Amino acid sequence: MLSIENVTKRYEGHTAVDDLSLMIEPGVIYGLLGPNGAGKTTTIRMTMGIIQPDEGKIEILGEPFSESLKEKIGYLPEERGLYRKMKVLEHLVFLAEIKGLSAKTAVERASHWLERVDLAGWEDKPVEALSKGMQQKIQFISTIIHEPQMVILDEPFTGLDPINTQLLKDVIVEMKDAGRTVILSTHLMDQVEKLCEKICLINRGRKVLEGGLAEIKMRFSKNVVSMRFTGDARELEKHPDVEKISEFGQGLSVTLSEGADPVVMLRHALDCGRVDRFEIGEMSLHDIFIAQVRAEGGDLDEEDAAGSQA
Amino acid sequence: MKKMLLVVRREYLDRVKKKSFLIGTILGPVLMGLLIFAPALIFKLSPDTQTTVTVIDMTGEIYGQMEASLADTLDDGTLKFSLREYPAEETGLEETRRILNIEVEEDAIDGYLVIPADIIGAGKAAFYGKRVGDIKSLEQIESALSNVVIGLRLSARGLDYGEVRGLVKGVDMETMQVTEKGAEKRGGFDFIFMSSFLFIMMLYMTILMWGVAVQRSIIEEKNNRVIEVLLSSLRPEDLLFGKIFGVGAVGLTQYAIWGVFGTIMTAYGLTMGGPVAELAGNLSFATLGFFILYYVLGFLFYATMFAGIGSVCNTDQEAQQMQTPVVLCLVFTILLPMMVIQRPDSTFATVISLIPVFTPIVMFMRINVLMPPVWQIVLSIVMMILAIRFSGKLAARIFRTGILMYGKKPDAREILKWLRRS
C-alpha cells in the first residue's frame, strides 16, 4: 500500500527525516508515533507529494507519486482549517469535487455523512457558526468523502470530546473492515493501543521501533512486574535480577533483567516485606514510547510525556 | 485544469456573493456619476428665485437701459431680476446706503448696485449684497451694466454699438483630430486628456485593487490553514492560478456591470448633450476592446507579483511593506501618460509602452491618443504574455514553498534559493 524507502529530508540546519524506511500493508490501521518534531508530519507531507524528499523513494499502491493518486488518498493534516464564510454543504462539496467526485455524488455523500455525524440541519450555516469540534467533524468528512483506499490522519483526536472521539474511532474501524488502510499519526498512546495493529515509532527523523503492536508489547513487557508492596524497597533492589524500580503512589513497577523469572522475584519480595498484589505486567505503549525515546536521547515535552493520560 | 476551474468558481462566487462587492460595484459608478453630473444637477436643482436689486444710478441715464437688458423671465413667467431705482443725491449717498444695508440685512432686497456718476470714464461700479456667491446672477448684472456703459461711450463718439460689436467679433477655433483613415473627429488636448485619463485611472485602480485582493486571499489562505487540505487534492499551481483567474473574473464582472450602467447613463447623457455625450460619442468598440485587453494583461502581470508577495508574508501588515515597490511601479505608470500625451509617437513613449511593467497603461494611453503602428501593439501584447509567463512561474515557485511556511518571514536570500530550486 505504502512503501517508503530510505527517505531523507533536510532543512536548513537539521535533518527532519533521516534514511527512513516503512512498509505499510493494505487493510491495516497503522500507528505512526513519535514526539513532537520527530518528523511525522514531514514524512506525511512527502507521502502526499506536498514536499519532495531529498533522497529516497516513496511508492503508493505500487506506483510513484502522481497527481491522480491524490484522489485515492484522504489526508487530514494537523494544520487544518476551513473557509469560515462558506456554507457547510457547499464547502464539503467543493472539497469533494477537487477530489474528483461529481457534484451530484458529492452532495449525496456529504448529506449522508452530515447525518451520520449528527450535523444534519447545518448544511446552509456558514462554517464559522460551527463549534470547533463540529468543524473538525466537517474536516474529517472531507478526508473520507471520496472513499479513498488510504487515509492519513494526523492527530485526528485533538480537540474532540469523548463522544466524538468514539465516533471517529468507529469510522476508522469501519474503514479498516472495508479493506482500506488507515495511517494514524499521533502521540496519544492509548488511542493507538486500542486501534492500531502495527506501529512505527520514530524519533529525530529515524525509525526507533516497528512491528505489530502485540509483538512489541510482548517484547517489552515480559520482564516487568507491578506489585503493591509494604516494606523496604531498597532491600528489593538488592536482588541481582532487579534492573530498576519505579515507585508510584499505589505501588512499585519493577523491571527485571532479561531472562529473570518473576516467581523468584515474588519470593524475594515476600522475604523483604508484605505483598498485597503481584502482577506480571504489560508495559503500556506509553511507557515503551517514553523509554525508547529517552534511550535515544530524545527530548520529550510535557504533552508527549502526558500523552496516554490525556 | 478541471480542478483549477473549481478553484476559480469557488473564488469567484465567494467574492461576487459578498456584500462588499455589491456595495463597491454600485458605489463606484454612483460616485463617478455624481462627480460628473453633480455641478449640472446642483445648478438645475437650485431653486430659481427672483433676485431683487435696488439700483442707485448717479448718472441718471443708465438704469433705464439696464432694466431693458435684464428682462429675462423665470420658468414661472416672472422676471428674473426685480429692479428698483432708488433716487440718490451725491450728498445723501451715505445715508441711502445705510438704509439699503438694513434692507439687505433684513432680506427685503438681495442687494443694491451703486453706479457712480463717473462710471463712463472710470468704469467702476459696486454691488452690495449678502449672498455674493450667486456668481451667475452677478455676472449677468455686470455684463448688462458693461454693455450699457460701452454703448454710451460709443454713441458719445457717434458710433453704433451693434455695428462695432459685429466688427470686433473674435474667431472660434475648433480642434479636430485627423485619425488613421483620414476621418476627422472632434478632439483637443483637454478632451483627449480627460477621456484617456478617466480610463487610465480606472485601469490603475482596478489592477491595483484586484491585484492586492489576490495577495490578501493568499495570506488569508495561510491563516485559515485550509492550504494543506487543498494541497492534498490539487497542485499548488491549480490553486494559485485558480485564485488569480477567479479574482480577475470578478474584476471583469464589475466592468460588465459598469458597462451596463454606463450605457444607461450615456443614453441619458446623450439626450442631455454636454461633455458626457461627447465622450460617449467618441468611444469606439475598439477602445473598449483594448481597455479590457490591457486590463486582463495588466491584472495578470501584477496579480502574479502580488501573489508572490502574499506567499511569503503572514499578515497584511507584513505584505504592505513588501508590496511598496510593486505599487510604486503602478503609481509611476500613471504619471507617465502626462509625458506621453504630448508626444505619443516619440521614441520615449514607444520604448516605455513596450516595457511590460508600464505597457497596460501607457500603451492603452497611446492607442487612445494616437493609434500606434500595429506591430507595436502586437509586440506589446507578446511582451506582456512573456512577462506574465515569467512572473507566473516565479510566483508559482515562491508560492509552492512559501505557502507552507508559517511564522518566520523568509529573507531575500532564502526566497532566491526557492526560485533557483525546482
Side-chain angles (χ1 to χ4, degrees):
Chain A
M1 176 58 63
L2 172 64
S3 104
I4 295 175
E5 275 176 56
N6 308 98
V7 164
T8 299
K9 179 75 189 176
R10 289 182 205 91
Y11 285 116
E12 196 110 348
H14 78 285
T15 306
V17 174
D18 190 0
D19 195 27
L20 182 71
S21 295
L22 288 179
M23 262 300 277
I24 300 179
E25 304 294 330
V28 296
I29 303 177
Y30 192 96
L32 189 60
L33 322 178
N36 292 335
K40 290 173 298 191
T41 299
T42 306
T43 306
I44 293 171
R45 281 183 177 173
M46 285 190 288
T47 307
M48 290 308 299
I50 292 171
I51 49 177
Q52 304 305 319
D54 295 328
E55 283 163 36
K57 197 168 74 170
I58 297 177
E59 281 188 355
I60 304 166
L61 299 162
E63 44 183 309
F65 183 83
S66 67
E67 276 302 309
S68 58
L69 270 177
K70 283 184 177 175
E71 295 180 4
K72 297 179 184 164
I73 313 172
Y75 172 40
L76 182 70
E78 189 180 8
E79 291 280 3
R80 51 191 170 231
L82 297 165
Y83 291 113
R84 296 174 55 246
K85 304 274 176 200
M86 250 180 134
K87 287 177 184 161
V88 171
L89 185 66
E90 243 172 54
H91 204 316
L92 276 174
V93 169
F94 169 68
L95 290 175
E97 281 187 281
I98 58 173
K99 279 291 188 187
L101 290 193
S102 71
K104 189 169 158 281
T105 321
V107 172
E108 280 169 18
R109 293 208 193 148
S111 308
H112 161 79
W113 276 107
L114 284 173
E115 192 95 29
R116 168 92 198 258
V117 303
D118 230 10
L119 281 175
W122 288 83
E123 287 85 351
D124 289 327
K125 297 274 192 322
V127 166
E128 61 187 345
L130 271 63
S131 74
K132 235 186 145 199
M134 287 168 164
Q135 291 190 24
Q136 211 163 327
K137 287 196 273 187
I138 301 293
Q139 282 154 350
F140 183 68
I141 295 175
S142 76
T143 312
I144 56 169
I145 194 165
H146 55 299
E147 297 180 351
Q149 298 180 35
M150 182 170 92
V151 180
I152 303 176
L153 307 171
D154 200 352
E155 300 291 357
F157 300 108
T158 39
L160 284 183
D161 61 28
I163 295 167
N164 285 318
T165 303
Q166 189 55 48
L167 178 71
L168 200 67
K169 280 200 256 182
D170 290 346
V171 178
I172 290 173
V173 172
E174 272 169 40
M175 285 193 286
K176 175 204 133 79
D177 290 344
R180 310 216 191 102
T181 307
V182 181
I183 298 171
L184 202 60
S185 162
T186 183
H187 52 232
L188 295 182
M189 294 305 148
D190 56 339
Q191 307 296 358
V192 174
E193 224 160 332
K194 283 171 198 154
L195 283 168
C196 300
E197 296 139 74
K198 288 203 159 183
I199 60 159
C200 173
L201 174 62
I202 61 175
N203 187 34
R204 296 182 163 185
R206 287 169 169 277
K207 182 159 71 183
V208 176
L209 200 61
E210 189 191 18
L213 183 69
E215 177 245 316
I216 286 175
K217 288 190 73 165
M218 281 275 284
R219 182 146 44 113
F220 280 88
S221 299
K222 59 189 173 192
N223 56 348
V224 175
V225 296
S226 62
M227 60 177 121
R228 187 169 298 160
F229 175 77
T230 321
D232 190 356
R234 276 169 301 182
E235 275 301 311
L236 272 183
E237 214 164 2
K238 283 180 183 159
H239 194 278
D241 284 351
V242 174
E243 209 144 79
K244 198 186 97 193
I245 293 185
S246 324
E247 277 189 72
F248 299 105
Q250 293 300 313
L252 300 175
S253 172
V254 182
T255 310
L256 303 178
S257 54
E258 230 168 291
D261 186 352
V263 181
V264 176
M265 188 60 223
L266 176 60
R267 288 211 185 94
H268 175 64
L270 286 168
D271 290 344
C272 301
R274 183 187 161 90
V275 178
D276 290 322
R277 186 172 61 83
F278 186 87
E279 201 172 66
I280 301 172
E282 281 192 334
M283 201 167 164
S284 73
L285 194 53
H286 177 245
D287 293 332
I288 299 173
F289 175 85
I290 290 180
Q292 287 298 305
V293 172
R294 290 235 166 97
E296 284 273 312
D299 302 316
L300 281 167
D301 52 34
E302 299 279 302
E303 204 186 339
D304 285 314
S308 72
Q309 273 91 47
Chain B
M1 188 64 187
K2 191 180 155 254
K3 289 181 179 177
M4 190 187 82
L5 291 177
L6 288 168
V7 177
V8 172
R9 194 186 66 187
R10 197 208 77 80
E11 196 74 29
Y12 177 80
L13 289 178
D14 195 45
R15 278 164 197 283
V16 171
K17 279 196 261 171
K18 266 189 199 156
K19 278 195 199 79
S20 57
F21 172 75
L22 197 71
I23 294 169
T25 306
I26 292 174
L27 225 56
V30 165
L31 283 178
M32 204 173 273
L34 274 181
L35 227 61
I36 296 169
F37 292 109
L41 274 178
I42 289 169
F43 193 69
K44 270 204 144 178
L45 290 178
S46 59
D48 259 347
T49 52
Q50 205 174 42
T51 311
T52 323
V53 179
T54 297
V55 181
I56 309 169
D57 184 5
M58 310 288 227
T59 64
E61 50 184 339
I62 289 174
Y63 177 76
Q65 289 188 48
M66 247 189 96
E67 195 180 19
S69 68
L70 285 174
D72 304 20
T73 52
L74 296 173
D75 292 338
D76 59 2
T78 56
L79 281 168
K80 185 171 178 195
F81 294 98
S82 162
L83 300 180
R84 170 178 67 137
E85 189 175 15
Y86 201 97
E89 301 303 320
E90 189 75 48
T91 47
L93 184 60
E94 284 311 308
E95 177 59 17
T96 311
R97 284 195 44 215
R98 208 181 52 78
I99 296 164
L100 289 175
N101 277 347
I102 292 166
E103 280 189 34
V104 168
E105 184 59 39
E106 287 171 351
D107 282 328
I109 56 171
D110 289 307
Y112 61 94
L113 177 68
V114 179
I115 302 172
D118 64 348
I119 187 162
I120 306 287
K124 281 202 183 330
F127 182 88
Y128 302 85
K130 213 201 272 185
R131 282 179 293 275
V132 289
D134 185 2
I135 295 162
K136 215 57 182 170
S137 299
L138 291 179
E139 270 180 358
Q140 214 177 338
I141 293 171
E142 188 183 22
S143 107
L145 180 58
S146 292
N147 283 337
V148 174
V149 170
I150 292 168
L152 285 174
R153 280 182 195 151
L154 289 170
S155 53
R157 304 241 175 140
L159 295 166
D160 176 60
Y161 183 39
E163 202 177 317
V164 172
R165 225 160 85 154
L167 290 173
V168 299
K169 192 170 190 293
V171 176
D172 228 0
M173 188 177 85
E174 210 180 344
T175 322
M176 305 293 282
Q177 191 187 13
V178 179
T179 56
E180 281 293 275
K181 297 172 195 95
E184 293 161 11
K185 67 174 182 183
R186 260 207 71 192
F189 182 80
D190 288 353
F191 180 73
I192 290 178
F193 190 78
M194 283 312 292
S195 68
S196 305
F197 207 72
L198 190 73
F199 279 115
I200 280 169
M201 283 312 286
M202 271 172 81
L203 267 180
Y204 163 75
M205 286 194 312
T206 44
I207 288 176
L208 182 64
M209 179 165 84
W210 296 115
V212 171
V214 170
Q215 172 191 299
R216 297 187 60 160
S217 161
I218 287 170
I219 293 173
E220 203 188 311
E221 202 91 19
K222 285 176 95 166
N223 289 329
N224 62 19
R225 303 285 201 253
V226 191
I227 200 82
E228 213 173 333
V229 178
L230 298 180
L231 289 186
S232 73
S233 305
L234 34 74
R235 295 179 307 139
E237 289 78 10
D238 289 334
L239 184 60
L240 173 64
F241 293 110
K243 272 184 175 301
I244 291 177
F245 294 144
V247 173
V250 177
L252 285 176
T253 307
Q254 195 165 55
Y255 277 142
I257 296 172
W258 286 349
V260 171
F261 202 92
T263 313
I264 298 167
M265 291 284 273
T266 309
Y268 177 65
L270 281 171
T271 58
M272 279 204 338
V276 181
E278 223 170 281
L279 196 120
N282 270 281
L283 260 186
S284 62
F285 281 110
T287 312
L288 286 178
F290 279 119
F291 181 74
I292 297 295
L293 174 76
Y294 284 108
Y295 162 73
V296 170
L297 293 173
F299 167 77
L300 289 177
F301 180 69
Y302 279 98
T304 49
M305 300 224 251
F306 282 118
I309 293 167
S311 306
V312 295
C313 297
N314 294 303
T315 60
D316 285 340
Q317 284 83 345
E318 265 177 37
Q320 250 153 35
Q321 296 170 7
M322 285 196 71
Q323 79 190 25
T324 309
V326 181
V327 174
L328 280 181
C329 266
L330 261 176
V331 171
F332 184 59
T333 308
I334 56 161
L335 297 178
L336 288 170
M338 321 271 187
M339 294 181 249
V340 171
I341 197 164
Q342 293 178 36
R343 295 216 55 98
D345 51 354
S346 64
T347 316
F348 171 73
T350 309
V351 169
I352 62 165
S353 69
L354 291 173
I355 299 173
V357 181
F358 307 123
T359 297
I361 285 171
V362 177
M363 194 48 124
F364 177 74
M365 181 79 183
R366 285 187 61 202
I367 289 172
N368 219 20
V369 177
L370 178 69
M371 186 62 89
V374 176
W375 69 265
Q376 287 186 11
I377 297 178
V378 174
L379 183 61
S380 82
I381 295 170
V382 172
M383 293 282 283
M384 273 314 285
I385 291 173
L386 290 178
I388 291 164
R389 284 193 56 160
F390 179 70
S391 63
K393 233 173 221 161
L394 291 191
R397 284 186 189 177
I398 295 178
F399 182 76
R400 202 181 306 164
T401 315
I403 198 82
L404 286 172
M405 302 259 302
Y406 305 115
K408 190 174 124 315
K409 200 177 81 180
D411 52 24
R413 202 171 48 93
E414 215 165 321
I415 295 170
L416 274 177
K417 223 164 64 190
W418 299 353
L419 290 177
R420 256 182 266 123
R421 208 191 301 153
S422 71

